[in-house]
Amino acid sequence: MQLTEEGKITNQTVAIQTDSVTVDGNFLKLTGKIKRKKYLIYYSLKSLAEKQVWQRKKLPNAAVISGEVVNFTNARNLNGFDEKKYYQSLGFSQKIQVASLKPFRQKKASLADLRQQLIWKIDRRYSKRLSSYVKAIVIGYKDAQFSEYTAVYKTTGLLHLFTLSGLHIQFYLGGLHLLLKRLGLTRKVRLILLSVLGILLICLTGASFSTIRAVVSFLIAFICVTYEIALAKLDQWSLMLFLMIIGFPLIFWSVGAQLSLYFALLLLYISDLRFKKWQQMGLFSLLSLPLLLFSFSEWPILGGFFTLLLFPLFEWLILPGCLLLFLGCFLPIPQFLSSFLNNFFQLIENGLGQLAFSNLVIGRPTFIVLLTLITLVLLSLDRLKYRKNCYWLLGSAILLIAVTSFSANGIVAFIDVGQGDSILVKLPFKQETFLIDTGGRLTFKQKKWQVRQSKQLSDYQLLPLLKSLGISRIDHLLITHNDADHMGELLHVLKKVKVKTLYLAEGSQMELKKELLPLKGTNIQLVKRGDTIGKRLKMRILSPEQSSGENNDSVVAYFRLNQQRFLLTGDLEVSGEENLLKNYPQLKIDFLKIGHHGSNTSTSEALVKKLQPKYGIISAGENNRYGHPTKETLAKLKKYRVKIFRTDQQGMIYYEWSAITKRGKTKVLIDFID
């Protein structure tokens, strides 16, 4: 690799894995290899013609690129998505932000090209909805629309049916085995052919950990039967696990792999219990709870019921039907089949949408609690096998889950929402919760071909944090002002989380009147200087008297927790700071949320000198286009010995204390800044 300076590459040839190419508006994402190392590659397309190159039947399988090599980052919010662990578990070295890209096609074929051709054929043959389902179920490819169509399955705990796993592999390899058996082939010949077909199947379905696990498990069982090896099911599972760890040492960094392995272990035990099918499904749903909580912080209570309801349809209609539609890309099949399945999927989505209700948000247990819960699960299975009661085990598990949900720790979190603000205050035992701003994305005018699929930032930043802390309801949601980077996610948050009271600055609500008109179940309260929010925690509003929703009309809030004083200033500008000091000349604080992301328009020297904060929290986006925080602002803070924390460099910053010991500590997500 030709390095002109640290992290830079110039005119480097990269081999492209064509079935990894995704185009979303003007955003291109793909997997590439440079000298046998795998990289995740991003590129902003410059024109419509350039975009069309990546939407053809035959895609470029190589390119000459220049850009910047960047390391993956750890989780930027507490209990959030860990990019580094996820991609390194899949074998990626680093990611490359490409500045220039010149694609071309090499004369060599690969299984990735074959899979990409299959994806292209399915897309051209069927509607968007139907092709999404066929690609996911048959070849394990989930396009951008798949999450939209299957959102209801996630809510009802049924998404696992649409992820390639043991059921699909049993259907494919089991069907092929039956065919080979009918042809009169010996068991050893069948084993050789099934091994080859299994490897081919792994490659053509994207080589996910769940698919690899299912194929390896199938082949181990078949080898035992072929060579009459007496190996218990648990020993077979252990051998599979050993082989997976040898092949993929970082496998446990993948949530998908964790769930696949754990579910396989549960099914192994449950299948030995002499229970009815509905009892097994209910037990599986209950015993899968520990890892589901650790991964997603919530439990789909009716997941077992819905699985029991839909599983026969999936096994006998959906899976065979999608396979027939896949074959229909190459062979003539009746038109009514595709119409029937398309309507059937819509019917299921609508039906489940009516039946679904919110999952039970519990929170994310610590790793020690997770191991304890899994131990209790295994002990329970052992006792159930011998028809012994396990009430004390169940009671212990419920106690641990309750401790997880109603933690004795309180938190004031300055959430990393990119270029925006969002601050969470949670009192111990969930006595009261406050959210100040929701974050959001500033939008810029684009041409139609450049517009990307709409994604809500709070689904990846704010909402997972709330769930991980066991928060399913916000008592007080305060919006400081009307800028998109402070309230852009408000409506989405209101849809996803129960909010008791929404607070807006008096006057600023006029701009939001139409959007908030259909709001149900949430009280709207207007606040001004002198008001107080909260019952157990008294959050005082220090500004403004009247607001038009602009930066200098930002709501300024002050509160005190565990002997620490906090001042949140939104995007308050220098003139607004002068009025604040005039109205509250005795004000002293410990934590200052630096105004306007560290811009020169806020945080005057007079403010810092007068307030004498110990800590200054700057909420800004990583490598943001505005140059926040500015050198001048940082110099002022350093002059008065304010310890600076920055979300763009350190991720989420939070002050956590215990209601029992009263000890508190300021923490960050990223300790070592590159």
Side-chain angles (χ1 to χ4, degrees), residues 197-300:
L197 290 169
I199 294 168
L200 184 64
L201 191 61
I202 287 171
C203 296
L204 290 179
T205 55
S208 69
F209 286 131
S210 58
T211 308
I212 297 169
R213 178 205 61 76
V215 170
V216 172
S217 296
F218 182 92
L219 293 176
I220 288 172
F222 200 83
I223 288 169
C224 290
V225 173
T226 302
Y227 293 99
E228 298 181 352
I229 301 171
L231 203 60
K233 287 183 179 179
L234 183 57
D235 291 332
Q236 291 182 24
W237 182 89
S238 301
L239 178 59
M240 175 274 298
L241 179 61
F242 175 75
L243 293 174
M244 293 288 285
I245 292 172
I246 292 295
F248 310 97
L250 302 179
I251 188 170
F252 284 110
W253 279 4
S254 166
V255 172
Q258 292 170 16
L259 293 170
S260 180
L261 292 165
Y262 181 65
F263 289 170
L265 182 63
L266 283 185
L267 290 171
L268 184 152
Y269 275 104
I270 291 173
S271 62
D272 284 344
L273 300 176
R274 295 177 184 177
F275 286 179
K276 293 178 181 178
K277 194 74 175 177
W278 67 270
Q279 291 174 318
Q280 290 185 351
M281 288 292 186
L283 189 61
F284 176 79
S285 178
L286 187 65
L287 298 183
S288 61
L289 179 58
L291 200 55
L292 287 177
L293 289 184
F294 191 72
S295 302
F296 308 114
S297 308
E298 59 184 344
W299 182 37

Side-chain angles (χ1 to χ4, degrees), residues 501-555:
T501 308
L502 171 65
Y503 300 88
L504 303 169
E506 191 166 310
S508 68
Q509 81 279 7
M510 300 308 295
E511 189 180 328
L512 308 172
K513 199 171 182 179
K514 287 183 181 179
E515 294 178 336
L516 298 176
L517 199 62
L519 197 62
K520 293 180 181 179
T522 299
N523 298 319
I524 299 177
Q525 189 171 323
L526 304 181
V527 293
K528 62 182 186 302
R529 182 165 71 87
D531 290 342
T532 301
I533 296 172
K535 293 180 180 179
R536 294 183 179 275
L537 168 66
K538 303 297 183 183
M539 184 176 287
R540 296 177 59 191
I541 306 301
L542 307 187
S543 182
E545 286 282 358
Q546 188 75 14
S547 171
S548 59
E550 300 298 324
N551 285 351
N552 212 28
D553 296 326
S554 291
V555 174

Side-chain angles (χ1 to χ4, degrees), residues 18 27 61 70 73 149 198 365 403 419 426 444 536 566 597:
T18 52
F27 183 70
N61 58 8
V70 183
T73 59
Y149 300 136
V403 169
Q419 185 66 14
K426 181 186 82 75
F444 301 93
R536 294 183 179 275
F566 295 81
H597 322 292

Side-chain angles (χ1 to χ4, degrees), residues 576-587:
E577 293 173 355
E578 290 173 356
N579 290 330
L580 180 69
L581 294 176
K582 183 180 177 182
N583 292 325
Y584 300 94
Q586 304 303 316
L587 186 63

Side-chain angles (χ1 to χ4, degrees), residues 577 580-581 592 603-613:
E577 293 173 355
L580 180 69
L581 294 176
L592 172 64
T603 319
S604 65
E605 188 167 341
L607 181 81
V608 181
K609 184 178 180 180
K610 184 71 177 175
L611 296 180
Q612 298 176 19

